[in-house]
Amino acid sequence: MQKPKVCLVGVGHFGKSHLQEWLKLQEHGRVEISALVAETDESESELAAQYSVPVYTSLDAQLLEKIDIVDIVTPAASQLDMIKKCLPHCFVLVEKPLVTSIDELNLLDELLSRYPNKLMLGHNYRFNPVVKILQELVMAREQLPSLVEVTMLNVSAAEVDLNPNLEYVDAFDIMDYLFGLDSTIESSHSVANTHQVSIRYGDSLHCVMNLGWHNKPSKRSIHIVYPDADISCDLFRYSIKISSDNHLETINLSHERTSLRDEMISFLDFVSSQSENLVPPDLATRPLRTALRTTPKKRTNGRPRAAIIGGGVFGTNCALEMNHFCDVSVFERHENLMEEVSFVNQWRHHSGFHYPRSYDTIQEIRSTKNDFEELYNDAVIRDNISYFCPSATGVEIPAERYLAACSSNYLSYSIEYPPAGIVDRDAISVSIKTDEGVYDFYKLRDMIERRLAAAENTNVFVGANIVDAEILPDGRKKLSIERNGEIKTEVFDYLINATYSNRNLLAKWFSFPVEKLRFDLYEMLVVRLPIEQLCVTIIDGPFTSIVGMGHDNLFLVSHIHDSVLKSQVTEDGMPPDWGEIQSNSHNMLLSASKYIPVLKQAEIVESRYATRAVNAFARDFDARPTVIRNHGFDCWSVMGGKIITCVSNAREIATTIERSLRV
Ligand SMILES: Cc1cc2nc3c(=O)[nH]c(=O)nc-3n(C[C@H](O)[C@H](O)[C@H](O)COP(=O)(O)OP(=O)(O)OC[C@H]3O[C@@H](n4cnc5c(N)ncnc54)[C@H](O)[C@@H]3O)c2cc1C
């Protein structure tokens, strides 16, 4: 075929882009544009005036006889009929999505087998320069990544009546192009105008897609996570960033949009040679089939079931926020709830005075305070006055900077000192009296336990250790529960990992990417002091403190250096086995009493030990954010930074899940 005759059907927004490219190809002598088919008489006359090409309002057999190629750029609903009409006569290039249901897809498959090598589905992103480079990068690696996140979101404040899976079928096509693997596990849900689709390809490659419309700027991105590297690309900016240990490389490509032209040239090569099927039919239909299969469906099998691993303050509050729309089971390995970090901590009901170097943390405290106090105000002791005193020798947060940080964050205080003999005034530069409270731990736990006991649809299993889990092909999660020496399995729709230091449990079980954590073995000293209840925190320098526990002259003592007995970043992100623990109480008291001399009179009651977990790469050492991770596959992890955020964070998870149930 010398110069194929082209007919373009549909000259709307996308159709015009196609027309521009056909005109360029015509200029280069590759094709002859023989017809345009417009939807209405009005657009017919407009187009006829603008381009010297015959314009029609319908596609009939007479016209098709004169044509070699039909390029269909019309809405999905009309595409299949059009293809049926064209295939007996000519080659067809058609823009996605092409079908709207599995029945239509089966019909398309049948047509493709009857007229092989005649249709190419627009595979725009296969010709996208960024995606092409991405494929080279992926092929060059021996290992598969553990996670790929594909985001295709357009801006829209209004409700959109389209299926994001089909509108953004490119996401499925890109995955097919990059990895060519079959999907083995699929789960999906929708929230407002977006779909979150989770797919496991092959044995271990997880992909989470966010597709649809939101009221933020449009976004097209692909993020590929390998154990030792990260590749992220912005398809709007034509840029790729590759980061691995201590190394960052950026590739910026030309913004000239060539993918459509490349696609058309490739189609023309295919038409003229007729020998090779450049884009075989199953490549057209495979991504469509996955997109249709993973379109979220309305639940038909009753209330969903959620499992929460971890009966600390975060897990229990997640249960209490979720039980009105699902049946919840909380699994706690100890015989009592809240025995780990929810107990072994400083019991501060934070106001923000602790975080002069992390304004984000202060804001998080301020924004979550009301939710917490609405439920647990009675568990907060407020008549324990809390003093904060910048160290006289600290260089990072001198008094002026500290007071400025408090004022900038609207933290109210007065300049007042603790009673004589408690703090060495020469060792501090100023002292402020604040409104910060202290938790009555036992009251807090009692309130939570009462709420759980009264809650419907909620089962709490103590002494229940979750030892393993697996995602089933339908996306549900099967847990292995060890209790009373027996192991049983149970299946759940949603899984929340609220285990704090075991935050990487899901990564371990499901091969999700591991989050690098630094674990500190932390010693908290309980002492008896001959003074009234109060709290004193030395800011900067040793960050040492005494926190009145509300009764029996008991105080919690900690020290920024001497409380940390061991520290380790583990390869698998799981907490280390600390082995035998040796107390450092003597040095703690010695160092702390330089600032708080009353500690020389301390009677040691006990040492409590906790494993503190923080992001291994966090640059902001003061920040203690609560981090919620939505892994996809209806799995979440939460690592609580401060107790005060537990209600708001539980509500955030619950709201997202509940909204996803309203498909
Ligand atoms: C040293 C230190 C001091 C702190 N001081 C304060 C403070 O003063 N004020 C404040 O607000 N916050 C403070 N925090 C932070 C606060 O303690 C935590 O944010 C909060 O307690 C975390 O609660 P959680 O429910 O996530 O974790 P946890 O209370 O640790 O609960 C997790 C639960 O998961 C269970 N679990 C783990 N694995 C499994 C499994 N496989 N199967 C079943 N159960 C499992 C554990 O047994 C545990 O009970 C401090 C933290 C540390 C480390």
Side-chain angles (χ1 to χ4, degrees):
M1 199 182 305
Q2 278 294 301
K3 211 194 265 187
K5 293 187 176 60
V6 175
C7 166
L8 174 67
V9 184
V11 200
H13 177 69
F14 285 115
K16 288 233 167 67
S17 311
H18 280 233
L19 181 56
Q20 292 312 317
E21 296 301 339
W22 286 126
L23 286 167
K24 276 185 203 138
L25 289 166
Q26 180 167 262
E27 250 172 62
H28 288 100
R30 295 263 346 229
V31 296
E32 183 188 325
I33 308 174
S34 300
L36 299 179
V37 178
E39 222 178 347
T40 60
D41 292 346
E42 207 177 296
S43 46
E44 178 194 3
S45 48
E46 232 174 76
L47 289 167
Q50 212 175 336
Y51 306 99
S52 46
V53 179
V55 184
Y56 303 81
T57 49
S58 68
L59 192 63
D60 55 30
Q62 226 179 345
L63 173 59
L64 287 169
E65 284 303 323
K66 296 186 254 168
I67 299 293
D68 303 304
I69 288 174
V70 179
D71 179 12
I72 302 173
V73 196
T74 58
S78 58
Q79 286 174 331
L80 201 54
D81 278 346
M82 210 89 78
I83 292 167
K84 227 188 291 176
K85 219 188 258 184
C86 299
L87 277 182
H89 306 277
C90 19
F91 290 94
V92 176
L93 175 66
V94 60
E95 268 304 316
K96 288 179 283 263
L98 210 154
V99 294
T100 56
S101 66
I102 292 277
D103 285 348
E104 285 182 10
L105 187 58
N106 292 340
L107 206 67
L108 176 69
D109 266 342
E110 200 238 310
L111 277 173
L112 294 176
S113 61
R114 209 162 356 129
Y115 301 102
N117 297 344
K118 296 207 67 183
L119 175 134
M120 182 167 126
L121 182 62
H123 280 78
N124 247 322
Y125 279 95
R126 288 183 185 241
F127 297 93
N128 181 293
V130 175
V131 178
K132 278 189 193 168
I133 292 190
L134 216 50
Q135 199 213 26
E136 284 166 23
L137 292 170
V138 164
M139 300 291 276
R141 293 193 147 256
E142 281 169 11
Q143 214 180 357
L144 278 175
S146 47
L147 176 71
V148 181
E149 291 169 315
V150 185
T151 305
M152 294 199 167
L153 294 165
N154 274 353
V155 60
S156 170
E159 198 158 313
V160 181
D161 188 23
L162 290 167
N163 176 354
N165 280 37
L166 290 178
E167 290 305 307
Y168 301 95
V169 67
D170 292 308
F172 301 87
D173 190 34
I174 289 172
M175 285 304 290
D176 207 46
Y177 176 61
L178 293 182
F179 303 102
L181 290 168
D182 286 328
S183 76
T184 48
I185 294 175
E186 295 167 351
S187 85
S188 63
H189 61 245
S190 72
V191 177
N193 281 335
T194 63
H195 285 180
Q196 185 178 82
V197 180
S198 311
I199 301 176
R200 184 188 284 173
Y201 289 96
D203 293 334
S204 62
L205 169 56
H206 297 95
C207 173
V208 177
M209 300 175 181
N210 280 295
L211 312 172
W213 294 267
H214 65 175
N215 51 13
K216 294 190 197 132
S218 298
K219 201 171 167 195
R220 294 273 183 293
S221 66
I222 303 171
H223 179 205
I224 306 184
V225 184
Y226 288 94
D228 60 342
D230 235 68
I231 304 175
S232 49
C233 65
D234 184 328
L235 295 164
F236 280 153
R237 289 168 166 251
Y238 286 77
S239 78
I240 303 176
K241 281 194 169 62
I242 307 156
S243 57
S244 50
D245 285 345
N246 300 324
H247 185 78
L248 175 72
E249 187 191 342
T250 305
I251 305 170
N252 286 314
L253 298 164
S254 148
H255 277 226
E256 197 199 340
R257 303 200 58 155
T258 57
S259 39
L260 182 57
R261 196 173 318 149
D262 288 350
E263 173 185 312
M264 286 172 167
I265 291 171
S266 155
F267 179 59
L268 288 177
D269 290 344
F270 159 58
V271 167
S272 57
S273 69
Q274 279 192 50
S275 56
E276 237 183 313
N277 199 349
L278 282 186
V279 183
D282 76 317
L283 277 196
T285 52
R286 267 161 63 113
L288 277 169
R289 208 168 274 286
T290 317
L292 283 164
R293 241 188 359 241
T294 54
T295 295
K297 291 165 198 75
K298 208 170 175 54
R299 282 187 62 84
T300 49
N301 51 348
R303 284 166 67 83
R305 298 192 74 211
I308 296 173
I309 314 178
V313 72
F314 278 84
T316 49
N317 276 284
C318 281
L320 289 163
E321 295 300 326
M322 288 173 66
N323 59 10
H324 64 276
F325 61 85
C326 50
D327 294 336
V328 186
S329 299
V330 180
F331 298 101
E332 168 53 52
R333 62 184 171 186
H334 294 293
E335 293 303 328
N336 290 303
L337 297 176
M338 294 171 62
E339 288 226 326
E340 294 208 359
V341 185
S342 295
F343 171 58
V344 187
N345 69 73
Q346 288 185 306
W347 293 15
R348 291 171 193 277
H349 180 50
H350 284 291
S351 290
F353 293 98
H354 209 66
Y355 301 104
R357 288 184 297 186
S358 176
Y359 286 17
D360 285 350
T361 307
I362 301 178
Q363 287 316 314
E364 193 182 49
I365 289 167
R366 290 172 64 85
S367 64
T368 54
K369 182 178 160 62
N370 285 350
D371 283 349
F372 183 88
E373 291 184 356
E374 188 188 292
L375 296 171
Y376 303 119
N377 197 37
D378 287 352
V380 180
I381 303 168
R382 294 184 191 281
D383 47 15
N384 246 3
I385 297 174
S386 229
Y387 298 92
F388 283 80
C389 315
S391 152
T393 51
V395 283
E396 260 199 76
I397 317 162
E400 310 77 60
R401 189 175 161 205
Y402 183 61
L403 298 182
C406 295
S407 304
S408 321
N409 287 289
Y410 309 102
L411 301 178
S412 59
Y413 62 86
S414 56
I415 308 267
E416 277 183 59
Y417 287 77
I422 292 177
V423 174
D424 178 354
R425 287 213 186 182
D426 292 336
I428 58 171
S429 49
V430 73
S431 168
I432 60 170
K433 184 176 156 189
T434 72
D435 65 350
E436 187 156 291
V438 171
Y439 296 116
D440 179 333
F441 167 80
Y442 298 100
K443 203 163 196 178
L444 179 62
R445 181 162 69 180
D446 185 55
M447 289 174 85
I448 290 173
E449 282 176 344
R450 280 171 195 270
R451 291 187 67 214
L452 285 168
E456 289 183 357
N457 319 310
T458 310
N459 288 304
V460 178
F461 300 94
V462 290
N465 191 16
I466 308 300
V467 290
D468 201 0
E470 141 188 30
I471 307 185
L472 301 176
D474 63 3
R476 289 181 307 151
K477 274 62 63 181
K478 185 162 104 181
L479 303 194
S480 300
I481 307 149
E482 188 180 45
R483 202 170 179 226
N484 301 329
E486 275 180 45
I487 294 189
K488 285 192 180 153
T489 59
E490 266 193 71
V491 174
F492 296 89
D493 301 290
Y494 293 93
L495 179 57
I496 318 283
N497 171 18
T499 57
Y500 186 75
S501 56
N502 271 346
R503 180 167 155 79
N504 278 308
L505 263 187
L506 303 194
K508 180 174 137 186
W509 290 331
F510 305 150
S511 311
F512 290 160
V514 170
E515 184 187 344
K516 278 275 148 84
L517 296 175
R518 191 195 77 223
F519 297 97
D520 302 326
L521 175 60
Y522 201 94
E523 178 171 8
M524 195 80 66
L525 210 54
V526 179
V527 298
R528 191 165 279 121
L529 290 175
I531 54 170
E532 297 286 305
Q533 287 289 308
L534 53 58
C535 308
V536 175
T537 304
I538 307 298
I539 289 289
D540 209 340
F543 270 97
T544 191
S545 63
I546 55 170
V547 175
M549 296 168 75
H551 58 96
D552 297 335
N553 297 90
L554 292 178
F555 293 80
L556 287 161
V557 182
S558 68
H559 185 277
I560 196 168
H561 304 303
D562 289 325
S563 281
V564 180
L565 307 183
K566 293 181 186 180
S567 213
Q568 196 176 330
V569 176
T570 54
E571 211 36 57
D572 61 359
M574 296 300 288
D577 177 357
W578 298 115
E580 201 182 318
I581 299 173
Q582 284 194 337
S583 165
N584 193 28
S585 58
H586 178 74
N587 286 329
M588 265 169 87
L589 286 178
L590 203 65
S591 312
S593 59
K594 287 184 188 150
Y595 285 83
I596 308 174
V598 72
L599 283 171
K600 288 182 189 148
Q601 302 169 52
E603 175 202 331
I604 295 178
V605 176
E606 63 170 319
S607 282
R608 295 174 180 168
Y609 300 97
T611 296
R612 178 170 68 186
V614 289
N615 186 297
F617 305 118
R619 283 195 209 112
D620 186 349
F621 298 114
D622 254 6
R624 287 288 178 271
T626 292
V627 184
I628 296 174
R629 177 111 174 88
N630 176 352
H631 300 278
F633 300 89
D634 295 321
C635 294
W636 303 68
S637 291
V638 54
M639 189 165 81
K642 292 160 301 308
I643 289 165
I644 198 168
T645 68
C646 68
V647 177
S648 304
N649 293 128
R651 286 182 181 164
E652 185 183 326
I653 296 174
T655 307
T656 313
I657 295 178
E658 190 183 11
R659 285 175 74 203
S660 76
L661 294 170
R662 296 190 215 124
V663 177

